[in-house]
Amino acid sequence: MPAEYELSHLGGKLMSTQVSALLIRELSEGVFQQADRLPSEVELSERLGVSRTVIRDALSDLEREGLIERVRGIGTVINREIVNLTSRLD
């Protein structure tokens, strides 16, 4: 795992907050620009070296922010309208 992806292993909530911040940064920097959906929970957990529970918590944070929508049977869909905003009132 690259140094930029090293996460503190101090606790579940802290780790999910770090993963949320990382995913938000990647979304805003265009890492997933060519994709309509994020990778699966399993792929994200393997890539970041954390449990699926941490990934689920982080994805819940992103869903509350409106950046993604999780759809059963389809996956985690990226909300491009929100991701591409330069500023938000909330």
Side-chain angles (χ1 to χ4, degrees), residues 81-88:
E81 292 178 12
I82 301 297
V83 169
N84 293 331
L85 287 177
T86 55
S87 63
R88 292 176 61 172

Side-chain angles (χ1 to χ4, degrees), residues 33-46:
Q33 187 172 0
Q34 301 301 320
D36 292 330
R37 295 176 290 193
L38 287 179
S40 70
E41 291 178 0
V42 172
E43 292 171 325
L44 286 172
S45 67
E46 289 173 357

